[in-house]
Amino acid sequence: METLERIQPNRQVMAFIIMVFLSQARLEPIRYSVLEETESSSFEAHLAKDLGLGIRELAARSARVVSDDDKQRLQLDRQTGDLLLREKLDREELCGPIEPCVLHFQVFLETPVQFFEGELSIQDINDHSPVFPTKEMLLKIPENSQPGTIFPLKLAQDLDVGSNGLQKYTISPNSHFHILTRNHSEGKKYPDLVQDKVLDREEQSEFSLTLMALDGGSPPRSGTITLQILIMDVNDNAPEFVQTPYEVQVLENSPIDSPVLSVLARDADAGNFGSVSYGFFQASDEIKQTFSLNEVTGEIRLTKKLDFEQIKSYHVEIEATDGGGLSGKGTVVIEVVDVNDNAPELTMSSLTSFISENAPETVVAIFRIRDRDSGDNGKMICSIPDYLPFILKPTFKNFYTLVTESPLDRETRSEYNITITVTDMGTPRLKTEHNITVLVSDVNDNAPAFTQTSYTLFVRENNSPALHIGSVSATDRDAGANAQVTYSLLPPQDPQLPLASLVSINADNGQLFALRALDYEALRVLEFGVGAADRGSPALSSQALVRVLVLDANDNSPFVLYPLQNGSAPCTELVPRAAEPGYLVSKVVAVDGDSGQNAWLSYQLLKATEPGLFSVWAHNGEVRTARLLSERDAAKHRLLVLVKDNGEPPLSASVTLHVLLVDGFSQPYLPLPEAAADAAQADQLTVYLVIALASVSSLFLFSVLAFLAVRLCKRGRRASLGGCSVPEGHFPGHLVDVSGSGTLSQSYQYEVCLTGDPGTGEFKFLKPIFPNLLVQDTEREIKDNPNCRNSFVFG
């Protein structure tokens, strides 16, 4: 019958084990027999054949043989599948008088776990002769003893059992006595001496006979003892015990010399014939070593520690003898009471120290528990701590299997120290703890993880090649090769982007390098992906976005758009002498290829023919009259204007303006003296220069517009080029709206359009918005001037 109790809250397994048969176990045990004293390593049986298993399967499943006791007397030859003896077996040593003598063993296999129960019956051989406790025995018989009187004699001991054990007694031939062999309830055979005829002490006062004990072996063995019989004078009454049998219980942990009980026998005779002395009758060596008997008082005391697991009870025969030689027999039954003096035992049969993470239910250990006590003292509870992801499963009889409850995660915990506790139910409770360590081996189940999903790096343009611009970093929670991270650049989304020639990454540490000098004006933002892969199998990887922002450097000088500096005859600005102070003469228009403060331009009048007559506004480049003009002022003026950016160090460009003072636009315009000689040649050259300049300007404008359109489309931040914004605070309000006076007498507005990135202050284009008024006579006068065909017309 199977008994299994489980305490769920603590996942403890109550092992009230009598027999546990699970589906892995064979119901009927395999039975073999062997003669005792058979040589070791001798063949016993074809175990593989009897189990219905192949020899290779036995080896593959780590088959082994385990005996119930600690000493392994059997072994399994995995090469042949044979069951062999490990040593000679002595039946008397293993089982003593118990018959039959059966050695229980188990065969268990792993992956999957499977048990088979076996029994080996040890057959007795006649290797022991009957032995009497002494070489001589003295018997005193009163002369008035009647024929038919029976006198018990000391029995012989034969360690063999069955037919090889003691069978009968014989006595040497004589005329007064014969031997009667009597069977005891315990299976022992006792010799009784039977008187055949009347004794006469005066005729024969003693007899010397030989008592022989014979076993039933073939050939039989025997043992002898000399029986000395003394014929005594008449003693009418033999001692009699007041109680028989005596029964007493003694705790197995009783101290030495503690009293067990006292026996009492009475003799009705008087005098010496009525005095009684006590002694053991036919006591074994074990009884003599364990107990002592006071000859006078009949008190039995303990002389040796008791062990319930070895001997559970003692049957002691007590002989009370009076002074006349008559004796009476009494029996004392001493039962040893078990106390909880044996802690549970745990024997590990199989242990796995390394378990792969993420593995399903895995067998960690197979072990057996045992308690040598009995009753509640022998009942056991087997448990492990609740917080561990392991469970105990009863497997077969008192075998348990420790398995994982769920897949383990090495990154959460890489090592488990498991304490298996076996506690009995005795009082006080005793327990045994067994510690095992389980290491979780790594599986590549974690991809490298970047510390950031995206990285933003900054590098100033015109950098030196192989410049370290930053690093990316990724970590992997795995271990060993599974945690070694290798970095790489991912293919760019834009196949036209030569990423491999722009940046590189160190595969070991993730450091990024710029391979060549970057140009802000050509490439302002570089976006690309980086990958981090481990060295597991299969390898796992992750990605991150790197955004490199190129910082502008002041490497572009201002470029003057107007007036044109094409090397041809300069254009002359006409100013009426009646112009009021602040009259707008012209406007210097310039741009800077840089951005931000590097593109903020300021204007300065470096040199003038007549200082103080003209001034240049620093923020918008407008050239205006500083005072009223007079007749004394020269008609021709040359102004040198410096255009400077706000970079560090600042870069600059200069432009020359020619101003001609006239009395009015109806006054015929005469060419300058130094240009008169080359007027004819300049006309033809001017045409070519105008065509070339228009072509270059158109191409440049188209390139700028195309570049801006591509950039805006990529970012998705602008729908068209018309949306322009001016960051508040970058330019004062008076730099945008300009009112003028003089002959042109018109207001000018300049629309400044910045890049899509607020704060850079970069000009995309500068467009003057002219009013719809036309001064016809001004147009006619300018047309009459052949040197002003390339001039800008304001107003």
Side-chain angles (χ1 to χ4, degrees):
M1 180 178 180
E2 299 181 0
T3 304
L4 180 63
E5 298 181 9
R6 185 185 298 267
I7 302 176
Q8 281 297 342
N10 296 324
R11 295 184 298 148
Q12 297 182 345
V13 182
M14 296 271 310
F16 300 137
I17 303 174
I18 300 175
M19 292 280 288
V20 179
F21 290 95
L22 300 178
S23 59
Q24 297 93 337
R26 176 170 174 156
L27 297 178
E28 288 296 328
I30 313 167
R31 294 184 173 89
Y32 302 106
S33 64
V34 62
L35 293 176
E36 65 170 330
E37 303 298 335
T38 301
E39 293 296 329
S40 61
S41 300
S42 60
F43 169 75
E44 287 305 320
H46 292 289
L47 186 60
K49 180 179 178 182
D50 295 339
L51 296 179
L53 302 173
I55 296 176
R56 293 184 178 178
E57 186 177 0
L58 285 181
R61 297 178 64 183
S62 302
R64 67 188 75 177
V65 176
V66 180
S67 300
D68 279 352
D69 55 4
D70 295 331
K71 194 170 184 180
Q72 302 300 321
R73 296 179 172 86
L74 300 175
Q75 63 181 0
L76 176 62
D77 189 344
R78 295 181 184 176
Q79 304 274 342
T80 61
D82 295 336
L83 182 65
L84 306 177
L85 291 177
R86 190 184 293 273
E87 60 181 23
K88 283 186 179 182
L89 301 180
D90 187 352
R91 194 206 67 80
E92 290 74 29
E93 177 184 350
L94 293 175
C95 301
I98 298 175
E99 181 66 20
C101 181
V102 177
L103 178 63
H104 296 274
F105 64 92
Q106 292 85 32
V107 180
F108 79 89
L109 302 91
E110 299 180 6
T111 59
V113 176
Q114 192 174 15
F115 284 85
F116 297 93
E117 186 175 10
E119 296 179 355
L120 180 62
S121 177
I122 303 173
Q123 304 297 322
D124 184 50
I125 63 173
N126 193 23
D127 56 345
H128 293 88
S129 299
V131 177
F132 286 95
T134 60
K135 294 182 178 181
E136 187 174 332
M137 182 170 34
L138 178 62
L139 180 62
K140 297 178 180 181
I141 301 177
E143 63 176 333
N144 62 349
S145 176
Q146 298 299 316
T149 304
I150 297 175
F151 302 96
L153 302 178
K154 294 181 180 180
L155 79 164
Q157 298 283 346
D158 193 330
L159 297 179
D160 294 323
V161 295
S163 61
N164 293 326
L166 180 63
Q167 297 296 322
K168 64 179 181 177
Y169 295 91
T170 62
I171 197 167
S172 56
N174 66 90
S175 58
H176 289 80
F177 303 97
H178 74 274
I179 285 294
L180 176 65
T181 301
R182 177 168 52 90
N183 293 325
H184 193 269
S185 60
E186 296 180 357
K188 296 182 179 179
K189 296 183 182 297
Y190 291 86
D192 287 339
L193 184 66
V194 182
Q195 182 179 340
D196 293 332
K197 57 188 296 187
V198 177
L199 301 175
D200 186 356
R201 182 179 180 280
E202 288 70 29
E203 179 181 344
Q204 188 174 356
S205 61
E206 64 178 52
F207 295 87
S208 181
L209 304 176
T210 300
L211 178 63
M212 179 180 293
L214 295 171
D215 63 18
S218 180
R221 290 175 174 263
S222 62
T224 60
I225 187 175
T226 300
L227 179 60
Q228 294 290 341
I229 303 175
L230 297 180
I231 307 301
M232 307 296 295
D233 284 337
V234 175
N235 184 14
D236 295 329
N237 296 286
E240 293 182 1
F241 284 91
V242 297
Q243 176 185 344
T244 186
Y246 289 90
E247 294 182 352
V248 65
Q249 293 182 336
V250 182
L251 296 176
E252 66 171 322
N253 62 348
S254 298
I256 295 177
D257 201 35
S258 61
V260 178
L261 85 163
S262 295
V263 296
L264 177 63
R266 293 189 177 95
D267 195 313
D269 294 325
N272 186 44
F273 289 141
S275 63
V276 178
S277 61
Y278 302 93
F280 291 121
F281 180 74
Q282 298 181 353
S284 64
D285 293 338
E286 181 65 30
I287 292 177
K288 293 178 181 178
Q289 294 172 6
T290 306
F291 305 99
S292 65
L293 176 62
N294 190 303
E295 295 181 355
V296 179
T297 63
E299 183 183 47
I300 300 175
R301 284 184 173 271
L302 194 62
T303 59
K304 178 184 175 183
K305 294 290 291 184
L306 300 177
D307 188 355
F308 174 83
E309 288 69 38
Q310 295 292 332
I311 301 176
K312 295 178 175 56
S313 65
Y314 296 88
H315 291 263
V316 182
E317 297 290 335
I318 306 295
E319 183 180 41
T321 306
D322 62 18
L326 295 181
S327 62
K329 304 297 187 296
T331 302
V332 178
V333 178
I334 302 174
E335 293 185 1
V336 181
V337 179
D338 183 40
V339 295
N340 194 24
D341 60 343
N342 289 281
E345 301 173 3
L346 187 149
T347 304
M348 193 66 61
S349 299
S350 175
L351 177 63
T352 302
S353 297
F354 290 89
I355 297 178
S356 296
E357 65 172 331
N358 303 331
E361 181 177 294
T362 304
V363 176
V364 178
I366 301 174
F367 60 91
R368 180 185 63 183
I369 61 174
R370 178 177 64 176
D371 196 313
R372 298 181 184 273
D373 295 319
S374 62
D376 287 342
N377 297 331
K379 295 177 181 179
M380 295 168 288
I381 300 173
C382 189
S383 64
I384 59 174
D386 296 338
Y387 57 85
L388 296 177
F390 300 90
I391 56 175
L392 285 173
K393 290 185 176 181
T395 307
F396 176 76
K397 282 191 174 181
N398 52 350
F399 280 89
Y400 284 85
T401 302
L402 178 65
V403 299
T404 56
E405 185 177 23
S406 59
L408 304 180
D409 184 8
R410 190 205 65 82
E411 289 71 38
T412 303
R413 188 169 179 178
S414 61
E415 179 179 327
Y416 292 89
N417 292 313
I418 306 172
T419 301
I420 303 174
T421 304
V422 185
T423 307
D424 62 25
M425 302 297 293
T427 303
R429 293 193 176 189
L430 301 179
K431 69 178 181 179
T432 297
E433 293 183 347
H434 187 88
N435 296 318
I436 60 176
T437 299
V438 176
L439 301 178
V440 183
S441 57
D442 186 49
V443 173
N444 192 26
D445 57 345
N446 289 279
F450 281 95
T451 56
Q452 301 173 215
T453 56
S454 63
Y455 295 82
T456 301
L457 307 178
F458 298 90
V459 59
R460 191 166 295 279
E461 66 172 329
N462 304 323
N463 58 283
S464 59
L467 175 68
H468 176 231
I469 60 176
S471 301
V472 295
S473 178
T475 57
D476 196 311
R477 296 179 62 197
D478 294 319
N482 296 333
Q484 296 179 5
V485 179
T486 301
Y487 301 91
S488 62
L489 295 177
L490 300 179
Q493 296 182 354
D494 184 2
Q496 302 299 325
L497 180 65
L499 181 63
S501 64
L502 294 175
V503 293
S504 68
I505 190 169
N506 189 309
D508 297 325
N509 55 28
Q511 292 184 348
L512 291 166
F513 298 90
L515 297 180
R516 68 183 187 186
L518 301 179
D519 185 4
Y520 172 84
E521 288 70 36
L523 180 65
R524 300 185 181 184
V525 178
L526 176 61
E527 289 185 352
F528 55 91
V530 293
D534 58 28
R535 297 186 180 179
S537 180
L540 300 179
S541 62
S542 61
Q543 301 178 5
L545 178 66
V546 177
R547 191 167 184 260
V548 179
L549 299 181
V550 183
L551 302 179
D552 183 42
N554 193 25
D555 58 346
N556 289 281
S557 298
F559 178 77
V560 179
L561 297 177
Y562 179 83
L564 295 177
Q565 303 294 305
N566 53 10
S568 63
C571 178
T572 302
E573 302 292 341
L574 301 180
V575 178
R577 289 184 180 271
E580 297 292 332
Y583 176 86
L584 179 62
V585 176
S586 182
K587 181 179 178 66
V588 178
V589 180
V591 294
D592 196 307
D594 297 317
S595 65
Q597 293 186 358
N598 296 330
W600 293 0
L601 301 180
S602 62
Y603 302 85
Q604 179 182 356
L605 182 60
L606 280 183
K607 189 176 181 182
T609 303
E610 187 172 343
L613 181 57
F614 300 96
S615 65
V616 177
W617 283 28
H619 296 296
N620 58 13
E622 292 181 350
V623 180
R624 294 178 178 270
T625 59
R627 61 178 175 80
L628 287 174
L629 302 178
S630 66
E631 294 296 333
R632 294 190 301 271
D633 294 325
K636 182 184 68 173
H637 294 268
R638 184 173 179 270
L639 306 179
L640 181 61
V641 180
L642 178 69
V643 183
K644 182 173 63 174
D645 60 26
N646 199 36
E648 185 63 37
L651 300 179
S652 63
S654 62
V655 61
T656 301
L657 287 176
H658 295 274
V659 179
L660 182 63
L661 302 182
V662 295
D663 293 331
F665 288 111
S666 60
Q667 177 184 348
Y669 171 69
L670 299 177
L672 296 176
E674 60 267 26
D678 300 327
Q681 184 180 358
D683 289 342
Q684 185 178 4
L685 181 60
T686 300
V687 174
Y688 295 137
L689 290 177
V690 169
I691 296 174
L693 179 59
S695 300
V696 172
S697 300
S698 300
L699 180 61
F700 173 76
L701 181 59
F702 176 77
S703 300
V704 171
L705 292 177
F707 175 75
L708 292 176
V710 171
R711 294 300 296 171
L712 292 175
C713 288
K714 281 187 176 181
R715 296 186 182 180
R717 299 179 180 175
R718 294 290 184 271
S720 68
L721 295 177
C724 299
S725 61
V726 179
E728 182 179 354
H730 279 220
F731 293 97
H734 67 273
L735 296 181
V736 179
D737 294 327
V738 180
S739 297
S741 62
T743 35
L744 296 182
S745 230
Q746 300 296 334
S747 296
Y748 290 84
Q749 288 184 326
Y750 295 92
E751 181 178 344
V752 180
C753 185
L754 305 180
T755 60
D757 185 7
T760 60
E762 178 186 359
F763 289 104
K764 277 192 175 177
F765 58 86
L766 182 62
K767 181 176 67 176
I769 302 178
F770 300 102
N772 294 324
L773 298 179
L774 252 230
V775 181
Q776 296 181 357
D777 54 342
T778 302
E779 183 180 8
R780 285 194 302 270
E781 290 187 19
I782 292 176
K783 286 182 179 179
D784 292 338
N785 188 355
N787 293 325
C788 294
R789 295 177 183 175
N790 298 328
S791 300
F792 283 81
V793 179
F794 295 91

